[in-house]
Amino acid sequence: MSGAPIYKRVALIGLGLIASSMYWAMKRHGLAGEVTGFARSQETRATAREIGLCDRVCDSALDAVEGADLVVLCVPVGAMGGVASEIAPALKPGATVSDVGSVKKAVIEAVGPHLPEGVHFVPAHPLAGTEHSGPTSGFAELFENRWSLIVPVEGSDRAAVERVEQLWQGMGALTDEMDAEHHDLVLAVTSHAPHLIAYTMVGVADDLRRVTDSEVIKYSAAGFRDFTRIAASDPTMWRDVFLTNREATLEILGRFTEELFALQRAIRTGDGDHLFDYFTRTRAIRRGIIEAGQDTDAPDFGRVKKG
Ligand code: NAP
């Protein structure tokens, strides 16, 4: 499935999971002419060259963005502002700058002021990922049937927004537009708070491991294993997410703590009805996600091979 390229020249700044998946997907679907790439470490650039990630890997961010029609910032949220200020002098008039950061309000505040007039800024966030990171972790199918949220800023050029949207659709994603504040609240519920809870649960189990002599690891059941997968996510990325989406995450964690206390009380007082009703409600949410095609109904999340 390939058509005419949407952009002649694309530059990817940061060459980790998301950038490498974008590269393979753009190439598979013929969405970009030449793709240049830059990563801050010599090691990542060498790996990228070795595995053919990007048509041209540059030794400076300025070289990578020179002449690019689209520049996508694929670095941790906390690094976006610094990268934007570094590349600003080399941006082509009329070019579009986008990003893939998991938090939007903070990225817009950090990047926006550095962009020269005549350069379009179209922030975006693909809701797709794995617990792996780095240049070798990407794959072309990562975005297929996943949402990618486009978060236009005030005064965003419509044609530039629609072109970024087309690029994501070309990579197999479903797209929607959202404002930054709403994005950050939705993501605090669906992604950020759940990650923090997983980190906490695995941390608690790690403390217990010393008491139970590794039984927590040895007999780890499906529920705990799923927490460990989430808690294996990149520490830099997630540190930055919590530091930059502080308000929304704290709001959701406040509500979470209240619900947790209510469940704790139900357990202590033997209120089975409360527990049963609660679990019935949550089970329906799982059904909704499967019906929306955002996960598999296979036992053990499809890990157990059939037949
Ligand atoms: P990743 O695999 O860890 O790659 C990050 C890349 O950014 C690397 O090339 C790294 O360079 C570079 N980098 C790190 N710190 C930097 C700094 N201070 N200055 C310049 N470059 C720096 O990360 P990723 O998972 O692709 O995530 C990239 C962005 O996508 C993040 O903003 C994240 O919030 C967002 N995102 C992630 C996911 C996910 O599930 N992983 C999903 C959606 C969106 P070196 O390799 O040279 O260190």
Side-chain angles (χ1 to χ4, degrees):
M1 195 180 81
S2 65
I6 295 173
Y7 294 97
K8 263 199 205 145
R9 283 269 329 266
V10 174
L12 300 172
I13 307 299
L15 294 173
L17 169 71
I18 301 297
S20 56
S21 298
M22 286 184 76
Y23 176 73
W24 302 122
M26 285 191 288
K27 283 289 148 173
R28 173 180 288 184
H29 299 292
L31 303 169
E34 191 196 29
V35 180
T36 55
F38 169 76
R40 72 180 161 167
S41 72
Q42 169 60 37
E43 195 191 339
T44 299
R45 297 198 296 272
T47 304
R49 287 181 179 122
E50 219 175 280
I51 63 171
L53 171 62
C54 292
D55 300 316
R56 193 155 50 87
V57 175
C58 302
D59 287 320
S60 85
L62 285 171
D63 283 349
V65 307
E66 188 95 53
D69 304 296
L70 174 71
V71 176
V72 190
L73 310 181
C74 304
V75 298
V77 168
M80 297 272 184
V83 170
S85 100
E86 193 183 333
I87 62 169
L91 291 170
K92 183 169 99 170
T96 295
V97 172
S98 188
D99 77 290
V100 294
S102 306
V103 176
K104 294 275 62 103
K105 209 163 150 250
V107 168
I108 290 168
E109 283 166 10
V111 171
H114 296 293
L115 302 184
E117 213 153 300
V119 166
H120 307 297
F121 184 26
V122 184
H125 177 203
L127 307 189
T130 73
E131 68 278 27
H132 302 294
S133 48
T136 57
S137 60
F139 52 98
E141 301 83 9
L142 179 66
F143 310 114
E144 279 175 15
N145 202 30
R146 296 279 162 222
W147 286 97
S148 188
L149 300 175
I150 315 295
V151 183
V153 294
E154 223 182 285
S156 274
D157 178 71
R158 273 319 300 171
V161 171
E162 277 158 27
R163 224 163 147 204
V164 169
E165 215 158 322
Q166 269 175 31
L167 176 72
W168 282 105
Q169 288 166 0
M171 290 189 283
L174 309 162
T175 58
D176 216 346
E177 287 182 31
M178 212 177 252
D179 72 64
E181 199 153 330
H182 190 63
H183 166 279
D184 289 356
L185 182 64
V186 170
L187 267 291
V189 178
T190 57
S191 172
H192 306 167
H195 268 81
L196 198 73
I197 292 159
Y199 279 123
T200 315
M201 194 57 232
V202 175
V204 168
D206 185 49
D207 291 343
L208 270 175
R209 189 162 60 124
R210 293 181 195 115
V211 181
T212 60
D213 201 17
S214 292
E215 282 170 314
V216 171
I217 301 298
K218 191 170 165 193
Y219 302 121
S220 90
F224 179 66
R225 270 188 281 132
D226 289 329
F227 275 130
T228 60
R229 187 184 58 74
I230 298 171
S233 300
D234 188 67
T236 305
M237 165 181 162
W238 285 97
R239 176 202 62 198
D240 286 6
V241 165
F242 293 116
L243 293 181
T244 54
N245 197 18
R246 191 177 354 212
E247 236 173 82
T249 312
L250 289 177
E251 163 67 20
I252 300 308
L253 285 175
R255 286 170 187 240
F256 174 81
T257 315
E258 284 173 25
E259 301 270 317
L260 189 65
F261 279 141
L263 289 172
Q264 198 177 333
R265 192 177 57 236
I267 294 169
R268 189 179 323 103
T269 60
D271 186 351
D273 288 348
H274 181 95
L275 297 173
F276 186 85
D277 292 347
Y278 202 92
F279 301 158
T280 303
R281 184 152 67 87
T282 54
R283 191 177 217 189
I285 291 186
R286 172 79 193 151
R287 251 182 253 123
I289 290 172
I290 290 160
E291 277 161 25
Q294 293 297 304
D295 207 348
T296 168
D297 198 18
D300 200 18
F301 302 96
R303 285 191 196 110
V304 181
K305 294 242 176 345
K306 282 186 200 141

